[in-house]
C-alpha cells in the first residue's frame, strides 16, 4: 500500500480512538489539573486537611495552577503516534483497529509518564502537608493516573 493511500485509509476509517479520562468524576479532576482554576474546597479535601490540623472556612476556595499534562503529551508525542499508526497498519495488512489499539496503549503510557515526570508548578506548602507527600503536583491517591483509558469506537 502506498503511504498516501494508507494515510487516507486511516483518516477515512470509521474507527476512532478515544484516549483520556472516560469516567466523569476522574475527568473532572483531570480537567481541573490540566487547565487550573479556582474551586470550592470539597468535603473530602476538607476532611483530609482537618486531619492535618488545617481548617478551611465554609466558603473557602482552592486555586489550582494549570498543569497541562494532556496538552504537553499530545504536543510531544503526536508525531510518534501517527507514525506508529501508519507503520502498524502497513505491517498488519491494513488492520486499522489493531494499529489503533497499539497506539491507545502507547498513548496511555505516554500520558502517565508525563504525569509522573512532567515539570509542573509545585504544590503549595499547605497542599504538600495535606497530601503527606513529596512535591508531586499531579499525584496524590493515584486514582487519576490509573484512570487513564483508551477505547475504540465506530
Amino acid at each position: 500500500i502506498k503511504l498516501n493511500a494508507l494515510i487516507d485509509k486511516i483518516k477515512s476509517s470509521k474507527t476512532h480512538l478515544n484516549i483520556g479520562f472516560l469516567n466523569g468524576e476522574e475527568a473532572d479532576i483531570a480537567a481541573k489539573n490540566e487547565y487550573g482554576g479556582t474551586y470550592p474546597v470539597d468535603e473530602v479535601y476538607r476532611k483530609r486537611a482537618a486531619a492535618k490540623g488545617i481548617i478551611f472556612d465554609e466558603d473557602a476556595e482552592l486555586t489550582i495552577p494549570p498543569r497541562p499534562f494532556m496538552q504537553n503529551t499530545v504536543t510531544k508525542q503526536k508525531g510518534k503516534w501517527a507514525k506508529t499508526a501508519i507503520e502498524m497498519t502497513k505491517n498488519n495488512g491494513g488492520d486499522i483497529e489493531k494499529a489503533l489499539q497499539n497506539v491507545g496503549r502507547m498513548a496511555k503510557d505516554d500520558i502517565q509518564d508525563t504525569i509522573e515526570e512532567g515539570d509542573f508548578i509545585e504544590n503549595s506548602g499547605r497542599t504538600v502537608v495535606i497530601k503527606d507527600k513529596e512535591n508531586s503536583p499531579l499525584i496524590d491517591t493515584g486514582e487519576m493516573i490509573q484512570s487513564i483509558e483508551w477505547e475504540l469506537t465506530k
Side-chain angles (χ1 to χ4, degrees):
I1 298 177
K2 300 273 185 208
L3 181 60
N4 288 338
L6 189 58
I7 291 170
D8 289 343
K9 181 177 180 177
I10 292 170
K11 285 182 178 178
S12 66
S13 170
K14 300 222 184 276
T15 303
H16 299 279
L17 174 61
N18 300 313
I19 306 164
F21 300 88
L22 307 179
N23 165 321
E25 183 177 337
E26 292 304 323
D28 183 52
I29 292 167
K32 288 176 180 176
N33 280 288
E34 179 81 10
Y35 301 107
T38 301
Y39 307 97
V41 175
D42 68 23
E43 206 51 41
V44 172
Y45 196 77
R46 190 178 300 278
K47 286 179 183 177
R48 288 180 67 194
K52 301 287 183 172
I54 299 170
I55 306 301
F56 288 101
D57 293 336
E58 191 174 311
D59 59 346
E61 295 182 320
L62 293 175
T63 298
I64 300 171
R67 296 181 175 110
F69 62 94
M70 293 289 286
Q71 294 172 63
N72 290 356
T73 306
V74 171
T75 298
K76 182 177 178 183
Q77 304 293 355
K78 65 184 175 185
K80 177 181 85 172
W81 298 339
K83 183 177 179 181
T84 299
I86 291 166
E87 287 298 315
M88 297 227 40
T89 302
K90 182 175 142 184
N91 295 336
N92 289 308
D95 188 341
I96 294 170
E97 285 189 27
K98 188 171 184 177
L100 291 177
Q101 289 170 353
N102 282 295
V103 172
R105 284 189 285 274
M106 179 186 298
K108 175 182 175 175
D109 289 345
D110 289 339
I111 294 165
Q112 289 174 328
D113 288 347
T114 300
I115 289 171
E116 291 173 339
E117 301 164 8
D119 183 23
F120 301 107
I121 296 170
E122 292 185 354
N123 287 323
S124 69
R126 177 181 64 195
T127 300
V128 171
V129 169
I130 293 169
K131 287 171 67 170
D132 201 23
K133 288 188 187 271
E134 300 257 340
N135 210 330
S136 302
L138 293 172
I139 300 175
D140 186 7
T141 64
E143 289 179 33
M144 186 180 82
I145 196 169
Q146 294 304 317
S147 296
I148 300 167
E149 300 175 289
W150 61 271
E151 68 179 1
L152 295 182
T153 60
K154 292 186 179 196

mmCIF file of all heavy atoms in Angstrom, residues 58-108:
data_model
loop_
_atom_site.group_PDB
_atom_site.id
_atom_site.type_symbol
_atom_site.label_atom_id
_atom_site.label_comp_id
_atom_site.label_asym_id
_atom_site.label_seq_id
_atom_site.Cartn_x
_atom_site.Cartn_y
_atom_site.Cartn_z
ATOM 1 N N GLU A 58 -15.954 27.828 55.680
ATOM 2 C CA GLU A 58 -17.028 27.164 54.950
ATOM 3 C C GLU A 58 -17.036 27.513 53.459
ATOM 4 O O GLU A 58 -17.323 26.674 52.616
ATOM 5 C CB GLU A 58 -18.374 27.534 55.572
ATOM 6 C CG GLU A 58 -19.521 26.695 55.042
ATOM 7 C CD GLU A 58 -20.811 26.984 55.783
ATOM 8 O OE1 GLU A 58 -20.801 26.993 57.027
ATOM 9 O OE2 GLU A 58 -21.826 27.192 55.096
ATOM 10 N N ASP A 59 -16.719 28.764 53.130
ATOM 11 C CA ASP A 59 -16.755 29.205 51.726
ATOM 12 C C ASP A 59 -15.358 29.257 51.090
ATOM 13 O O ASP A 59 -15.150 29.913 50.079
ATOM 14 C CB ASP A 59 -17.435 30.564 51.614
ATOM 15 C CG ASP A 59 -16.717 31.638 52.434
ATOM 16 O OD1 ASP A 59 -15.875 31.287 53.283
ATOM 17 O OD2 ASP A 59 -17.012 32.826 52.215
ATOM 18 N N ALA A 60 -14.402 28.509 51.658
ATOM 19 C CA ALA A 60 -13.020 28.526 51.171
ATOM 20 C C ALA A 60 -12.924 27.975 49.749
ATOM 21 O O ALA A 60 -13.708 27.111 49.342
ATOM 22 C CB ALA A 60 -12.127 27.727 52.106
ATOM 23 N N GLU A 61 -11.944 28.507 49.032
ATOM 24 C CA GLU A 61 -11.670 28.054 47.671
ATOM 25 C C GLU A 61 -10.188 27.721 47.543
ATOM 26 O O GLU A 61 -9.356 28.247 48.270
ATOM 27 C CB GLU A 61 -12.033 29.139 46.656
ATOM 28 C CG GLU A 61 -13.517 29.452 46.612
ATOM 29 C CD GLU A 61 -13.842 30.500 45.565
ATOM 30 O OE1 GLU A 61 -13.061 31.476 45.417
ATOM 31 O OE2 GLU A 61 -14.877 30.335 44.908
ATOM 32 N N LEU A 62 -9.899 26.848 46.606
ATOM 33 C CA LEU A 62 -8.526 26.493 46.276
ATOM 34 C C LEU A 62 -8.238 26.984 44.868
ATOM 35 O O LEU A 62 -9.072 26.833 43.976
ATOM 36 C CB LEU A 62 -8.320 24.982 46.309
ATOM 37 C CG LEU A 62 -8.428 24.281 47.647
ATOM 38 C CD1 LEU A 62 -8.322 22.776 47.447
ATOM 39 C CD2 LEU A 62 -7.342 24.764 48.584
ATOM 40 N N THR A 63 -7.042 27.514 44.676
ATOM 41 C CA THR A 63 -6.609 27.886 43.336
ATOM 42 C C THR A 63 -5.582 26.858 42.877
ATOM 43 O O THR A 63 -4.561 26.641 43.531
ATOM 44 C CB THR A 63 -5.997 29.296 43.321
ATOM 45 O OG1 THR A 63 -7.015 30.218 43.737
ATOM 46 C CG2 THR A 63 -5.524 29.678 41.934
ATOM 47 N N ILE A 64 -5.902 26.218 41.783
ATOM 48 C CA ILE A 64 -5.028 25.200 41.210
ATOM 49 C C ILE A 64 -4.390 25.801 39.963
ATOM 50 O O ILE A 64 -5.102 26.240 39.051
ATOM 51 C CB ILE A 64 -5.826 23.935 40.830
ATOM 52 C CG1 ILE A 64 -6.514 23.340 42.066
ATOM 53 C CG2 ILE A 64 -4.927 22.909 40.142
ATOM 54 C CD1 ILE A 64 -7.486 22.219 41.757
ATOM 55 N N PRO A 65 -3.059 25.829 39.896
ATOM 56 C CA PRO A 65 -2.426 26.352 38.682
ATOM 57 C C PRO A 65 -2.566 25.344 37.537
ATOM 58 O O PRO A 65 -2.690 24.137 37.785
ATOM 59 C CB PRO A 65 -0.964 26.527 39.082
ATOM 60 C CG PRO A 65 -0.752 25.554 40.185
ATOM 61 C CD PRO A 65 -2.077 25.421 40.896
ATOM 62 N N PRO A 66 -2.553 25.820 36.298
ATOM 63 C CA PRO A 66 -2.626 24.873 35.176
ATOM 64 C C PRO A 66 -1.392 23.966 35.146
ATOM 65 O O PRO A 66 -0.265 24.437 35.336
ATOM 66 C CB PRO A 66 -2.683 25.757 33.936
ATOM 67 C CG PRO A 66 -2.583 27.153 34.379
ATOM 68 C CD PRO A 66 -2.493 27.197 35.857
ATOM 69 N N ARG A 67 -1.639 22.701 34.950
ATOM 70 C CA ARG A 67 -0.567 21.719 34.785
ATOM 71 C C ARG A 67 -0.956 20.863 33.571
ATOM 72 O O ARG A 67 -1.523 19.778 33.715
ATOM 73 C CB ARG A 67 -0.421 20.875 36.052
ATOM 74 C CG ARG A 67 0.012 21.714 37.260
ATOM 75 C CD ARG A 67 0.170 20.875 38.500
ATOM 76 N NE ARG A 67 0.693 21.662 39.606
ATOM 77 C CZ ARG A 67 -0.009 21.994 40.681
ATOM 78 N NH1 ARG A 67 -1.264 21.612 40.814
ATOM 79 N NH2 ARG A 67 0.558 22.702 41.636
ATOM 80 N N PRO A 68 -0.673 21.361 32.372
ATOM 81 C CA PRO A 68 -1.217 20.772 31.135
ATOM 82 C C PRO A 68 -0.548 19.464 30.697
ATOM 83 O O PRO A 68 0.120 19.391 29.674
ATOM 84 C CB PRO A 68 -0.988 21.890 30.119
ATOM 85 C CG PRO A 68 0.212 22.616 30.634
ATOM 86 C CD PRO A 68 0.113 22.551 32.129
ATOM 87 N N PHE A 69 -0.786 18.421 31.458
ATOM 88 C CA PHE A 69 -0.166 17.132 31.159
ATOM 89 C C PHE A 69 -0.693 16.509 29.868
ATOM 90 O O PHE A 69 0.073 15.884 29.129
ATOM 91 C CB PHE A 69 -0.328 16.169 32.344
ATOM 92 C CG PHE A 69 -1.747 15.842 32.686
ATOM 93 C CD1 PHE A 69 -2.362 14.713 32.175
ATOM 94 C CD2 PHE A 69 -2.481 16.675 33.528
ATOM 95 C CE1 PHE A 69 -3.675 14.423 32.497
ATOM 96 C CE2 PHE A 69 -3.787 16.385 33.857
ATOM 97 C CZ PHE A 69 -4.396 15.252 33.336
ATOM 98 N N MET A 70 -1.982 16.668 29.576
ATOM 99 C CA MET A 70 -2.534 16.110 28.332
ATOM 100 C C MET A 70 -2.007 16.890 27.124
ATOM 101 O O MET A 70 -1.522 16.290 26.160
ATOM 102 C CB MET A 70 -4.065 16.144 28.354
ATOM 103 C CG MET A 70 -4.705 15.239 29.371
ATOM 104 S SD MET A 70 -4.583 13.485 28.989
ATOM 105 C CE MET A 70 -5.763 13.343 27.666
ATOM 106 N N GLN A 71 -2.109 18.214 27.184
ATOM 107 C CA GLN A 71 -1.638 19.033 26.068
ATOM 108 C C GLN A 71 -0.153 18.810 25.809
ATOM 109 O O GLN A 71 0.268 18.699 24.656
ATOM 110 C CB GLN A 71 -1.892 20.511 26.365
ATOM 111 C CG GLN A 71 -3.367 20.873 26.440
ATOM 112 C CD GLN A 71 -3.552 22.295 26.920
ATOM 113 O OE1 GLN A 71 -3.129 23.242 26.271
ATOM 114 N NE2 GLN A 71 -4.162 22.447 28.097
ATOM 115 N N ASN A 72 0.634 18.761 26.884
ATOM 116 C CA ASN A 72 2.075 18.553 26.724
ATOM 117 C C ASN A 72 2.375 17.205 26.082
ATOM 118 O O ASN A 72 3.250 17.100 25.224
ATOM 119 C CB ASN A 72 2.784 18.643 28.078
ATOM 120 C CG ASN A 72 2.815 20.043 28.648
ATOM 121 O OD1 ASN A 72 2.380 20.997 28.020
ATOM 122 N ND2 ASN A 72 3.319 20.165 29.858
ATOM 123 N N THR A 73 1.650 16.180 26.495
ATOM 124 C CA THR A 73 1.876 14.846 25.941
ATOM 125 C C THR A 73 1.505 14.809 24.462
ATOM 126 O O THR A 73 2.271 14.281 23.644
ATOM 127 C CB THR A 73 1.070 13.776 26.709
ATOM 128 O OG1 THR A 73 1.370 13.866 28.102
ATOM 129 C CG2 THR A 73 1.390 12.379 26.210
ATOM 130 N N VAL A 74 0.356 15.348 24.120
ATOM 131 C CA VAL A 74 -0.064 15.342 22.716
ATOM 132 C C VAL A 74 0.939 16.104 21.855
ATOM 133 O O VAL A 74 1.355 15.620 20.790
ATOM 134 C CB VAL A 74 -1.493 15.919 22.558
ATOM 135 C CG1 VAL A 74 -1.843 16.116 21.093
ATOM 136 C CG2 VAL A 74 -2.512 15.001 23.232
ATOM 137 N N THR A 75 1.343 17.276 22.314
ATOM 138 C CA THR A 75 2.300 18.078 21.548
ATOM 139 C C THR A 75 3.592 17.300 21.323
ATOM 140 O O THR A 75 4.128 17.285 20.215
ATOM 141 C CB THR A 75 2.597 19.406 22.284
ATOM 142 O OG1 THR A 75 1.382 20.145 22.378
ATOM 143 C CG2 THR A 75 3.640 20.220 21.559
ATOM 144 N N LYS A 76 4.071 16.649 22.357
ATOM 145 C CA LYS A 76 5.346 15.938 22.275
ATOM 146 C C LYS A 76 5.247 14.619 21.497
ATOM 147 O O LYS A 76 6.180 14.242 20.798
ATOM 148 C CB LYS A 76 5.857 15.660 23.693
ATOM 149 C CG LYS A 76 7.196 14.978 23.739
ATOM 150 C CD LYS A 76 7.675 14.810 25.177
ATOM 151 C CE LYS A 76 9.004 14.077 25.221
ATOM 152 N NZ LYS A 76 9.448 13.851 26.602
ATOM 153 N N GLN A 77 4.124 13.917 21.603
ATOM 154 C CA GLN A 77 4.051 12.542 21.109
ATOM 155 C C GLN A 77 3.205 12.321 19.852
ATOM 156 O O GLN A 77 3.231 11.225 19.298
ATOM 157 C CB GLN A 77 3.519 11.625 22.217
ATOM 158 C CG GLN A 77 4.310 11.663 23.502
ATOM 159 C CD GLN A 77 5.717 11.090 23.376
ATOM 160 O OE1 GLN A 77 6.103 10.562 22.347
ATOM 161 N NE2 GLN A 77 6.493 11.218 24.432
ATOM 162 N N LYS A 78 2.456 13.325 19.398
ATOM 163 C CA LYS A 78 1.516 13.073 18.298
ATOM 164 C C LYS A 78 2.204 12.559 17.033
ATOM 165 O O LYS A 78 1.653 11.713 16.325
ATOM 166 C CB LYS A 78 0.661 14.305 18.007
ATOM 167 C CG LYS A 78 1.416 15.490 17.501
ATOM 168 C CD LYS A 78 0.497 16.692 17.335
ATOM 169 C CE LYS A 78 1.297 17.925 16.941
ATOM 170 N NZ LYS A 78 0.432 19.101 16.887
ATOM 171 N N GLY A 79 3.406 13.022 16.758
ATOM 172 C CA GLY A 79 4.133 12.528 15.588
ATOM 173 C C GLY A 79 4.473 11.057 15.720
ATOM 174 O O GLY A 79 4.327 10.283 14.762
ATOM 175 N N LYS A 80 4.899 10.662 16.900
ATOM 176 C CA LYS A 80 5.220 9.252 17.159
ATOM 177 C C LYS A 80 3.966 8.393 17.026
ATOM 178 O O LYS A 80 4.005 7.313 16.437
ATOM 179 C CB LYS A 80 5.823 9.111 18.564
ATOM 180 C CG LYS A 80 6.127 7.675 18.961
ATOM 181 C CD LYS A 80 6.701 7.569 20.363
ATOM 182 C CE LYS A 80 5.604 7.529 21.390
ATOM 183 N NZ LYS A 80 6.083 7.235 22.752
ATOM 184 N N TRP A 81 2.845 8.897 17.568
ATOM 185 C CA TRP A 81 1.596 8.133 17.488
ATOM 186 C C TRP A 81 1.153 7.960 16.039
ATOM 187 O O TRP A 81 0.728 6.878 15.636
ATOM 188 C CB TRP A 81 0.501 8.799 18.304
ATOM 189 C CG TRP A 81 0.772 8.912 19.772
ATOM 190 C CD1 TRP A 81 1.658 8.176 20.516
ATOM 191 C CD2 TRP A 81 0.175 9.820 20.683
ATOM 192 N NE1 TRP A 81 1.632 8.568 21.827
ATOM 193 C CE2 TRP A 81 0.730 9.581 21.968
ATOM 194 C CE3 TRP A 81 -0.783 10.814 20.552
ATOM 195 C CZ2 TRP A 81 0.351 10.299 23.097
ATOM 196 C CZ3 TRP A 81 -1.169 11.527 21.680
ATOM 197 C CH2 TRP A 81 -0.597 11.266 22.935
ATOM 198 N N ALA A 82 1.234 9.017 15.257
ATOM 199 C CA ALA A 82 0.830 8.946 13.848
ATOM 200 C C ALA A 82 1.728 7.968 13.088
ATOM 201 O O ALA A 82 1.243 7.134 12.312
ATOM 202 C CB ALA A 82 0.872 10.331 13.218
ATOM 203 N N LYS A 83 3.026 8.081 13.306
ATOM 204 C CA LYS A 83 3.973 7.188 12.628
ATOM 205 C C LYS A 83 3.701 5.737 13.004
ATOM 206 O O LYS A 83 3.715 4.850 12.147
ATOM 207 C CB LYS A 83 5.403 7.584 13.000
ATOM 208 C CG LYS A 83 6.459 6.768 12.308
ATOM 209 C CD LYS A 83 7.856 7.253 12.672
ATOM 210 C CE LYS A 83 8.899 6.385 11.980
ATOM 211 N NZ LYS A 83 10.257 6.787 12.310
ATOM 212 N N THR A 84 3.431 5.491 14.277
ATOM 213 C CA THR A 84 3.138 4.131 14.736
ATOM 214 C C THR A 84 1.858 3.610 14.087
ATOM 215 O O THR A 84 1.811 2.460 13.639
ATOM 216 C CB THR A 84 3.011 4.095 16.276
ATOM 217 O OG1 THR A 84 4.266 4.504 16.836
ATOM 218 C CG2 THR A 84 2.642 2.714 16.770
ATOM 219 N N ALA A 85 0.826 4.445 14.020
ATOM 220 C CA ALA A 85 -0.440 4.020 13.396
ATOM 221 C C ALA A 85 -0.216 3.645 11.931
ATOM 222 O O ALA A 85 -0.722 2.619 11.466
ATOM 223 C CB ALA A 85 -1.485 5.124 13.508
ATOM 224 N N ILE A 86 0.549 4.447 11.240
ATOM 225 C CA ILE A 86 0.815 4.174 9.815
ATOM 226 C C ILE A 86 1.629 2.894 9.663
ATOM 227 O O ILE A 86 1.275 2.009 8.866
ATOM 228 C CB ILE A 86 1.529 5.382 9.167
ATOM 229 C CG1 ILE A 86 0.567 6.567 9.085
ATOM 230 C CG2 ILE A 86 2.078 5.020 7.794
ATOM 231 C CD1 ILE A 86 1.232 7.891 8.772
ATOM 232 N N GLU A 87 2.710 2.776 10.424
ATOM 233 C CA GLU A 87 3.574 1.590 10.324
ATOM 234 C C GLU A 87 2.832 0.320 10.703
ATOM 235 O O GLU A 87 2.955 -0.705 10.035
ATOM 236 C CB GLU A 87 4.818 1.756 11.207
ATOM 237 C CG GLU A 87 5.822 2.737 10.665
ATOM 238 C CD GLU A 87 6.399 2.324 9.321
ATOM 239 O OE1 GLU A 87 6.755 1.133 9.154
ATOM 240 O OE2 GLU A 87 6.469 3.185 8.427
ATOM 241 N N MET A 88 2.065 0.372 11.784
ATOM 242 C CA MET A 88 1.356 -0.829 12.227
ATOM 243 C C MET A 88 0.255 -1.217 11.244
ATOM 244 O O MET A 88 0.023 -2.405 11.035
ATOM 245 C CB MET A 88 0.789 -0.620 13.635
ATOM 246 C CG MET A 88 1.885 -0.406 14.644
ATOM 247 S SD MET A 88 1.775 -1.332 16.153
ATOM 248 C CE MET A 88 1.236 -2.920 15.726
ATOM 249 N N THR A 89 -0.408 -0.226 10.668
ATOM 250 C CA THR A 89 -1.438 -0.538 9.670
ATOM 251 C C THR A 89 -0.793 -1.192 8.453
ATOM 252 O O THR A 89 -1.287 -2.200 7.935
ATOM 253 C CB THR A 89 -2.210 0.737 9.269
ATOM 254 O OG1 THR A 89 -2.793 1.313 10.433
ATOM 255 C CG2 THR A 89 -3.303 0.425 8.270
ATOM 256 N N LYS A 90 0.310 -0.640 8.044
ATOM 257 C CA LYS A 90 1.048 -1.166 6.889
ATOM 258 C C LYS A 90 1.542 -2.593 7.161
ATOM 259 O O LYS A 90 1.422 -3.478 6.309
ATOM 260 C CB LYS A 90 2.231 -0.241 6.587
ATOM 261 C CG LYS A 90 3.063 -0.628 5.406
ATOM 262 C CD LYS A 90 4.105 0.462 5.180
ATOM 263 C CE LYS A 90 5.406 -0.141 4.755
ATOM 264 N NZ LYS A 90 6.461 0.837 4.618
ATOM 265 N N ASN A 91 2.079 -2.820 8.352
ATOM 266 C CA ASN A 91 2.667 -4.124 8.678
ATOM 267 C C ASN A 91 1.641 -5.179 9.070
ATOM 268 O O ASN A 91 1.995 -6.344 9.217
ATOM 269 C CB ASN A 91 3.693 -3.974 9.801
ATOM 270 C CG ASN A 91 4.882 -3.143 9.375
ATOM 271 O OD1 ASN A 91 5.188 -3.039 8.190
ATOM 272 N ND2 ASN A 91 5.552 -2.525 10.335
ATOM 273 N N ASN A 92 0.384 -4.777 9.276
ATOM 274 C CA ASN A 92 -0.670 -5.727 9.653
ATOM 275 C C ASN A 92 -1.722 -5.868 8.569
ATOM 276 O O ASN A 92 -2.893 -6.063 8.866
ATOM 277 C CB ASN A 92 -1.329 -5.298 10.977
ATOM 278 C CG ASN A 92 -0.416 -5.496 12.156
ATOM 279 O OD1 ASN A 92 0.116 -6.584 12.337
ATOM 280 N ND2 ASN A 92 -0.214 -4.456 12.941
ATOM 281 N N GLY A 93 -1.311 -5.728 7.320
ATOM 282 C CA GLY A 93 -2.232 -5.935 6.208
ATOM 283 C C GLY A 93 -3.401 -4.972 6.196
ATOM 284 O O GLY A 93 -4.492 -5.321 5.767
ATOM 285 N N GLY A 94 -3.193 -3.759 6.684
ATOM 286 C CA GLY A 94 -4.253 -2.747 6.664
ATOM 287 C C GLY A 94 -5.207 -2.809 7.840
ATOM 288 O O GLY A 94 -6.259 -2.174 7.813
ATOM 289 N N ASP A 95 -4.859 -3.548 8.894
ATOM 290 C CA ASP A 95 -5.726 -3.678 10.063
ATOM 291 C C ASP A 95 -5.625 -2.419 10.935
ATOM 292 O O ASP A 95 -4.763 -2.313 11.814
ATOM 293 C CB ASP A 95 -5.350 -4.919 10.865
ATOM 294 C CG ASP A 95 -6.324 -5.236 11.993
ATOM 295 O OD1 ASP A 95 -7.094 -4.330 12.404
ATOM 296 O OD2 ASP A 95 -6.311 -6.384 12.474
ATOM 297 N N ILE A 96 -6.522 -1.484 10.689
ATOM 298 C CA ILE A 96 -6.512 -0.204 11.396
ATOM 299 C C ILE A 96 -6.837 -0.389 12.872
ATOM 300 O O ILE A 96 -6.228 0.246 13.730
ATOM 301 C CB ILE A 96 -7.489 0.784 10.718
ATOM 302 C CG1 ILE A 96 -6.978 1.132 9.318
ATOM 303 C CG2 ILE A 96 -7.666 2.046 11.561
ATOM 304 C CD1 ILE A 96 -7.961 1.898 8.467
ATOM 305 N N GLU A 97 -7.783 -1.254 13.181
ATOM 306 C CA GLU A 97 -8.159 -1.447 14.593
ATOM 307 C C GLU A 97 -6.983 -1.932 15.428
ATOM 308 O O GLU A 97 -6.735 -1.429 16.526
ATOM 309 C CB GLU A 97 -9.338 -2.416 14.703
ATOM 310 C CG GLU A 97 -10.642 -1.780 14.289
ATOM 311 C CD GLU A 97 -11.844 -2.644 14.602
ATOM 312 O OE1 GLU A 97 -11.778 -3.464 15.547
ATOM 313 O OE2 GLU A 97 -12.851 -2.484 13.909
ATOM 314 N N LYS A 98 -6.241 -2.887 14.915
ATOM 315 C CA LYS A 98 -5.084 -3.397 15.650
ATOM 316 C C LYS A 98 -4.045 -2.292 15.831
ATOM 317 O O LYS A 98 -3.457 -2.149 16.913
ATOM 318 C CB LYS A 98 -4.470 -4.589 14.920
ATOM 319 C CG LYS A 98 -3.403 -5.293 15.705
ATOM 320 C CD LYS A 98 -2.992 -6.589 15.033
ATOM 321 C CE LYS A 98 -1.993 -7.336 15.901
ATOM 322 N NZ LYS A 98 -1.628 -8.619 15.320
ATOM 323 N N ALA A 99 -3.830 -1.500 14.808
ATOM 324 C CA ALA A 99 -2.884 -0.384 14.902
ATOM 325 C C ALA A 99 -3.332 0.623 15.955
ATOM 326 O O ALA A 99 -2.531 1.081 16.773
ATOM 327 C CB ALA A 99 -2.742 0.294 13.540
ATOM 328 N N LEU A 100 -4.623 0.964 15.945
ATOM 329 C CA LEU A 100 -5.124 1.944 16.911
ATOM 330 C C LEU A 100 -5.115 1.408 18.346
ATOM 331 O O LEU A 100 -4.917 2.170 19.292
ATOM 332 C CB LEU A 100 -6.523 2.414 16.514
ATOM 333 C CG LEU A 100 -6.585 3.268 15.245
ATOM 334 C CD1 LEU A 100 -8.029 3.621 14.906
ATOM 335 C CD2 LEU A 100 -5.735 4.514 15.374
ATOM 336 N N GLN A 101 -5.297 0.106 18.503
ATOM 337 C CA GLN A 101 -5.185 -0.487 19.838
ATOM 338 C C GLN A 101 -3.766 -0.286 20.385
ATOM 339 O O GLN A 101 -3.586 0.077 21.553
ATOM 340 C CB GLN A 101 -5.524 -1.983 19.800
ATOM 341 C CG GLN A 101 -6.990 -2.260 19.578
ATOM 342 C CD GLN A 101 -7.264 -3.731 19.314
ATOM 343 O OE1 GLN A 101 -6.356 -4.548 19.171
ATOM 344 N NE2 GLN A 101 -8.540 -4.079 19.236
ATOM 345 N N ASN A 102 -2.787 -0.500 19.537
ATOM 346 C CA ASN A 102 -1.399 -0.299 19.960
ATOM 347 C C ASN A 102 -1.107 1.165 20.263
ATOM 348 O O ASN A 102 -0.420 1.479 21.240
ATOM 349 C CB ASN A 102 -0.439 -0.839 18.900
ATOM 350 C CG ASN A 102 -0.328 -2.345 18.967
ATOM 351 O OD1 ASN A 102 0.155 -2.895 19.945
ATOM 352 N ND2 ASN A 102 -0.796 -3.007 17.932
ATOM 353 N N VAL A 103 -1.633 2.059 19.448
ATOM 354 C CA VAL A 103 -1.446 3.487 19.701
ATOM 355 C C VAL A 103 -2.145 3.882 20.998
ATOM 356 O O VAL A 103 -1.615 4.670 21.782
ATOM 357 C CB VAL A 103 -1.938 4.345 18.513
ATOM 358 C CG1 VAL A 103 -1.933 5.822 18.859
ATOM 359 C CG2 VAL A 103 -1.071 4.089 17.283
ATOM 360 N N GLY A 104 -3.311 3.330 21.267
ATOM 361 C CA GLY A 104 -4.026 3.611 22.511
ATOM 362 C C GLY A 104 -3.202 3.225 23.727
ATOM 363 O O GLY A 104 -3.078 3.999 24.681
ATOM 364 N N ARG A 105 -2.623 2.028 23.691
ATOM 365 C CA ARG A 105 -1.772 1.586 24.810
ATOM 366 C C ARG A 105 -0.552 2.501 24.957
ATOM 367 O O ARG A 105 -0.168 2.881 26.063
ATOM 368 C CB ARG A 105 -1.336 0.133 24.608
ATOM 369 C CG ARG A 105 -2.446 -0.871 24.902
ATOM 370 C CD ARG A 105 -1.915 -2.296 24.913
ATOM 371 N NE ARG A 105 -1.640 -2.802 23.580
ATOM 372 C CZ ARG A 105 -2.544 -3.369 22.791
ATOM 373 N NH1 ARG A 105 -3.784 -3.505 23.201
ATOM 374 N NH2 ARG A 105 -2.202 -3.811 21.603
ATOM 375 N N MET A 106 0.043 2.853 23.832
ATOM 376 C CA MET A 106 1.217 3.722 23.836
ATOM 377 C C MET A 106 0.871 5.105 24.393
ATOM 378 O O MET A 106 1.606 5.661 25.232
ATOM 379 C CB MET A 106 1.747 3.860 22.405
ATOM 380 C CG MET A 106 2.958 4.752 22.262
ATOM 381 S SD MET A 106 3.407 4.990 20.517
ATOM 382 C CE MET A 106 3.771 3.318 20.030
ATOM 383 N N ALA A 107 -0.233 5.668 23.949
ATOM 384 C CA ALA A 107 -0.640 6.999 24.396
ATOM 385 C C ALA A 107 -0.945 7.006 25.891
ATOM 386 O O ALA A 107 -0.570 7.940 26.602
ATOM 387 C CB ALA A 107 -1.851 7.474 23.596
ATOM 388 N N LYS A 108 -1.617 5.974 26.366
ATOM 389 C CA LYS A 108 -1.900 5.872 27.811
ATOM 390 C C LYS A 108 -0.593 5.897 28.597
ATOM 391 O O LYS A 108 -0.458 6.640 29.568
ATOM 392 C CB LYS A 108 -2.678 4.580 28.100
ATOM 393 C CG LYS A 108 -2.894 4.333 29.580
ATOM 394 C CD LYS A 108 -3.621 3.021 29.830
ATOM 395 C CE LYS A 108 -3.714 2.757 31.328
ATOM 396 N NZ LYS A 108 -4.493 1.568 31.637
#
